[in-house]
Amino acid sequence: MIRLLITDLDDTLYPWLDSFVPAFYAMAGETARILDLPLYAVLPEFKQVHTVYGDVEHPFAIAQLPSVRRRYPGAPLEQLRIVFAGALQAFSNVRAQRLHLLPGVYDTLRKVHEAGIQIAGYTDAGSGNGLERLRELKIEPFFDALYVTGGLSSEAAENRLLRDGGHAKPNPAMLRKICRDFRVREEEAVYAGDSMTCDVLMAAQTHVHSVQTLWLKEHRNKEDQDNYRKLVAITNWTEQDFSKDEALRRVCRRKNVRPEFTVGCYSEIWEIITRFAGKES
């Protein structure tokens, strides 16, 4: 019997890449216009800020851009927010248009929740960003906990959902800890995620049942595929990070790592859960 669903967030429950990247580039384009600079001059500065803070979603990164500091030396954040209000609004407008739940997500989470099965989110997104998206998409009430990497601020630690998820995925020790936190055996938990290296490999190193979600991989159009290249241009990842990811891919190939289940739609996870219930009866 399955007593716990652990789920990744970004590109598993909603299209993070295909909503964040267009929104970011809308913001960056407006930032460049305000500074009277070409976009190609601004993008490396964003990448520099993201690398310093280790987060491509660093809050109000515009204020840290070298060009902004030179143009507005000593300006308080309040003033900069006014100057770059158009850029921030551009980000919000595009993301609002593109951020949505993937097919089957809402109904599946509702069914799992109503069946008395606990739900934990486990994400590499920062605490504020992950929780904000759950709220915007109106699925926060279904969650019993949200494990985020990178640590918790004192303010975030007060939130009933947020818990420290340790270092970045893949982190099988954290997956085991989540099961212990919920007092379930690993065999009584299902973990769902889209990434072979961050999600499937991690679950394969435990006794947690693994589900790889493939909806986005199967439905991305040419424009959305181009978003990965655009993300790389401004990512916080270093050469060491890319090398680590490639090493993990080699591990997956060498060990022939495969998910226990693959689903084309999130709703199939409910079918998997009920299948386990049937085995018990």
Side-chain angles (χ1 to χ4, degrees), residues 15-262:
W16 176 82
L17 178 68
D18 304 333
S19 57
F20 172 77
V21 171
F24 175 87
Y25 272 77
M27 176 186 70
E30 183 62 16
T31 299
R33 188 194 67 77
I34 294 170
L35 292 171
D36 195 24
L37 292 172
L39 179 61
Y40 68 76
V42 172
L43 292 179
E45 293 192 7
F46 272 108
K47 180 174 177 60
Q48 178 183 337
V49 173
H50 296 159
T51 302
V52 169
Y53 288 95
D55 189 353
V56 76
E57 294 186 276
H58 180 63
F60 199 31
I62 294 172
Q64 305 297 325
L65 298 180
S67 292
V68 171
R69 289 182 164 183
R70 287 193 298 269
R71 185 74 59 87
Y72 305 95
L77 284 178
E78 294 76 11
Q79 178 187 344
L80 294 178
R81 287 188 182 279
I82 293 172
V83 172
F84 293 97
L88 299 175
Q89 190 60 50
F91 179 93
S92 297
N93 290 344
V94 174
R95 193 182 69 162
Q97 295 169 2
R98 301 189 64 119
L99 183 65
H100 56 83
L101 290 174
L102 293 176
V105 168
Y106 186 91
D107 286 342
T108 301
L109 294 177
R110 177 182 56 80
K111 286 179 182 178
V112 172
H113 176 73
E114 291 178 351
I117 299 169
Q118 300 177 100
I119 302 175
Y122 181 22
T123 178
D124 278 338
S127 58
N129 295 317
L131 185 59
E132 178 185 16
R133 288 192 277 273
L134 294 189
R135 287 174 172 169
E136 287 181 5
L137 296 168
K138 298 180 172 37
I139 55 175
E140 180 190 5
F142 299 140
F143 283 79
D144 298 284
L146 176 58
Y147 290 80
V148 297
T149 60
L152 296 176
S153 65
S154 56
E155 180 180 353
E158 296 299 317
N159 185 279
R160 73 167 187 89
L161 278 186
L162 293 175
R163 302 185 188 181
D164 188 353
H167 64 75
K169 300 177 188 177
N171 186 352
M174 180 52 61
L175 206 53
R176 296 187 186 99
K177 181 180 184 303
I178 294 173
C179 292
R180 292 196 301 271
D181 287 350
F182 281 87
R183 303 185 183 216
V184 302
R185 295 183 295 111
E186 293 176 30
E187 296 87 347
E188 298 175 314
V190 169
Y191 177 76
D194 66 297
S195 170
M196 180 64 73
T197 54
C198 290
D199 299 317
V200 176
L201 174 60
M202 175 173 61
Q205 295 171 305
T206 71
H207 295 291
V208 174
H209 301 288
S210 61
V211 178
Q212 185 178 23
T213 59
L214 301 177
W215 195 91
L216 275 173
K217 287 181 172 61
E218 295 173 350
H219 290 81
R220 274 203 168 105
N221 58 35
K222 188 176 185 302
E223 175 193 355
D224 292 336
Q225 290 171 357
D226 193 47
N227 285 331
Y228 180 76
R229 177 186 60 79
K230 291 181 177 179
L231 178 66
V232 170
I234 51 95
T235 185
N236 58 288
W237 273 30
T238 63
E239 288 300 322
Q240 183 179 3
D241 292 319
F242 281 105
S243 296
K244 177 184 176 183
D245 184 65
E246 181 54 38
L248 290 172
R249 293 180 189 279
R250 289 196 297 270
V251 168
C252 288
R253 290 193 294 268
R254 186 175 69 251
K255 295 187 175 183
N256 196 30
V257 173
R258 293 288 185 273
E260 189 173 348
F261 303 96
T262 59

